[in-house]
Amino acid sequence: MPRDMQVDRLREGLLPLRNWNMPVRLYHDETNNIRRMTLSELGLNAPDNKTFVIGGVALLPGTEIVEWQQLRQLLRMQPSATEIKFEHLAKGNYEEVLGSRKLASFLQWLMDQNMMVHYSALDPLYWSILDIIESLQADDRFEINECHMELKTELHHAVVQNLSGFLALLHGFGYPNVLREQVRSFMEAVLEFVNEHVPQDRSAATWVLRQTLLRAARLITLELVFLHDNEPGELISDFSIQFLHRIYVFKNASHVFDEETYVEKVLSQLELREGERRLDYRFADSKAEPGIQLSDVVAGLVGRHFSYLKDHSLKELMQRRAGFTELQLANLARLRRLIGRSDAFSDGFFHVLMPLDTCFKNNAFLLEIEVPPFMWA
């Protein structure tokens, strides 16, 4: 029998979001789903660390997907093609994707149909290491609740300076299963790594990170609550929590997901409810659901977008954008308008689990919003 899970308990602690109780219809697909992330003496099982995205299109109550055949004609789909997929619109790296005329037609069609987009984007490496800071955050002696995002970002910044070195450090301590008697040694090793690879403070947050790690290394009685009694090397067991998150944030929505065997199996053991009412979510064959096909394109584009941001410095990104063609810039502008219009309806449509650095890059590159000066270093 599935275990009942009350949605309002999952929502506890969340700040209310605009229109999150509206009965919208959300279609979802995902990209870069590696199923799980593990660490061994050889490193990560998915070393390219592409951004995982679950996202798609959102429809207001009472609206339907119309003009479907018109879109297929715009994209010059063969009658024999059973569904629209991202690869039919664009191939290659992100810059090549932005130069696709079919992508331009697709994004403009979404705008013309008054559709909205949504996504939850996750950096797997970042998600794998943030428990170091969250374990300290759970200890009232550290008082870092107000700056935990900045500390996680600074730790991530240090880690990517020498990723293989940090992964070897984690593997040496059986991470994420640090033995209780090795907590001080572990914190000393993390502090030493940060000091070696980020010798100069980027911002006040870098200094706070050093002081926090130093204090942790000196405490005799410290438990890392999220880093004990786990399976060594099991960094991410699955992405089902990301699917759950979309359902419980929009608890009155109807959710249609693309078939995903493993996640379906996990969620089949749960029954999300509000009181006696079972929340409205199901998995479906994309061939029978135009909404999922649209979502395949949205998720694919957003996944490439954030992976591109992650892999380049802000200075590099802006230099590259300065050389973009008119079509590339127009597609960026279409994506910006789609996101802006969707965000105006609900900020809940956009959820990210990634370092602030990547968010700042997105602000500058896509949204044209000013970012902190240290990002330009």
Side-chain angles (χ1 to χ4, degrees):
M1 281 287 291
R3 178 167 56 92
D4 276 7
M5 185 176 280
Q6 286 296 320
V7 67
D8 288 331
R9 289 190 62 187
L10 294 171
R11 275 178 156 208
E12 281 174 11
L14 293 182
L15 293 173
L17 299 159
R18 283 191 305 280
N19 288 321
W20 68 338
N21 290 324
M22 284 277 283
V24 292
R25 191 184 319 164
L26 297 179
Y27 290 93
H28 309 260
D29 202 355
E30 76 274 359
T31 192
N32 301 328
N33 187 349
I34 56 172
R35 305 293 187 266
R36 63 199 287 258
M37 181 174 267
T38 57
L39 172 64
S40 70
E41 66 278 3
L42 300 175
L44 299 173
N45 66 314
D48 49 3
N49 191 45
K50 291 180 179 176
T51 305
F52 168 79
V53 171
I54 179 168
V57 295
L59 275 65
L60 287 171
T63 61
E64 298 292 335
I65 298 172
V66 294
E67 306 294 344
W68 182 243
Q69 288 308 316
Q70 179 208 42
L71 177 62
R72 286 182 60 96
Q73 288 165 10
L74 275 172
L75 301 179
R76 296 177 186 167
M77 297 293 296
Q78 295 295 323
S80 58
T82 54
E83 57 185 325
I84 295 172
K85 297 188 78 66
F86 183 85
E87 64 197 35
H88 296 143
L89 275 67
K91 289 184 172 68
N93 62 34
Y94 183 57
E95 292 179 7
E96 292 168 325
V97 162
L98 285 177
S100 163
R101 294 196 179 280
K102 287 186 177 181
L103 179 67
S105 298
F106 176 85
L107 294 175
Q108 191 60 49
W109 185 86
L110 289 182
M111 295 286 292
D112 294 344
Q113 295 294 313
N114 289 318
M115 284 196 190
M116 296 179 291
V117 295
H118 64 92
Y119 61 75
S120 178
L122 177 148
D123 180 326
L125 173 66
Y126 176 74
W127 200 28
S128 298
I129 64 172
L130 59 76
D131 277 344
I132 297 171
I133 300 301
E134 292 202 345
S135 292
L136 302 180
Q137 192 184 344
D139 189 319
D140 293 338
R141 291 173 292 183
F142 289 94
E143 298 181 336
I144 57 174
N145 276 343
E146 289 184 7
C147 62
H148 70 96
M149 289 291 296
E150 289 80 0
L151 299 189
K152 291 168 187 172
T153 295
E154 291 307 304
L155 177 60
H156 178 270
H157 173 70
V159 167
V160 295
Q161 306 309 309
N162 178 8
L163 178 56
S164 61
F166 194 74
L167 294 175
L169 184 161
L170 295 183
H171 182 66
F173 282 94
Y175 188 94
N177 186 44
V178 179
L179 298 177
R180 286 172 174 81
E181 60 269 25
Q182 291 190 319
V183 165
R184 292 182 69 189
S185 301
F186 176 69
M187 298 313 301
E188 284 170 1
V190 173
L191 173 61
E192 186 180 331
F193 184 93
V194 170
N195 287 338
E196 181 184 346
H197 292 93
V198 188
Q200 302 294 322
D201 290 351
R202 291 201 307 166
S203 66
T206 321
W207 183 84
V208 176
L209 175 65
R210 294 187 209 280
Q211 297 305 307
T212 303
L213 294 174
L214 178 62
R215 191 164 173 221
R218 288 177 173 173
L219 281 175
I220 296 170
T221 56
L222 176 64
E223 279 231 341
L224 301 175
V225 292
F226 300 118
L227 295 177
H228 303 311
D229 308 319
N230 300 312
E231 183 68 31
E234 184 85 88
L235 301 181
I236 301 172
S237 58
D238 63 75
F239 288 100
S240 59
I241 187 67
Q242 305 308 312
F243 289 71
L244 270 174
H245 178 267
R246 305 317 285 161
I247 297 168
Y248 70 71
V249 167
F250 289 93
K251 66 178 183 180
N252 294 321
S254 62
H255 297 267
V256 185
F257 296 94
D258 190 19
E259 291 172 330
E260 214 293 355
T261 309
Y262 186 80
V263 171
E264 287 182 64
K265 186 177 176 184
V266 172
L267 293 189
S268 70
Q269 298 165 28
L270 305 170
E271 193 87 312
L272 283 175
R273 292 183 178 275
E274 182 179 38
E276 291 300 307
R277 178 182 75 91
R278 182 191 183 274
L279 301 196
D280 184 359
Y281 56 95
R282 62 187 174 88
F283 291 82
D285 182 348
S286 56
K287 292 183 180 66
E289 296 282 354
I292 295 177
Q293 296 176 42
L294 297 174
S295 299
D296 178 276
V297 180
V298 172
L301 179 61
V302 172
R304 278 169 173 76
H305 173 76
F306 280 110
S307 294
Y308 178 75
L309 297 182
K310 177 179 61 64
D311 291 342
H312 299 288
S313 70
L314 181 57
K315 194 177 285 186
E316 242 188 336
L317 288 167
M318 300 312 281
Q319 286 170 349
R320 285 169 174 262
R321 200 183 79 161
F324 277 8
T325 65
E326 201 173 299
L327 180 56
Q328 287 172 312
L329 290 172
N331 276 334
L332 267 186
R334 288 184 181 97
L335 179 60
R336 180 169 65 246
R337 286 200 301 274
L338 263 175
I339 289 173
R341 190 176 69 184
S342 306
D343 182 65
F345 177 79
S346 179
D347 44 345
F349 278 162
F350 305 104
H351 174 251
V352 295
L353 261 169
M354 55 182 61
L356 291 173
D357 285 1
T358 310
C359 299
F360 290 143
K361 290 176 190 177
N362 187 56
N363 285 349
F365 180 82
L366 177 65
L367 306 179
E368 300 179 346
I369 296 171
E370 196 173 333
V371 298
F374 71 79
M375 286 299 300
W376 295 98

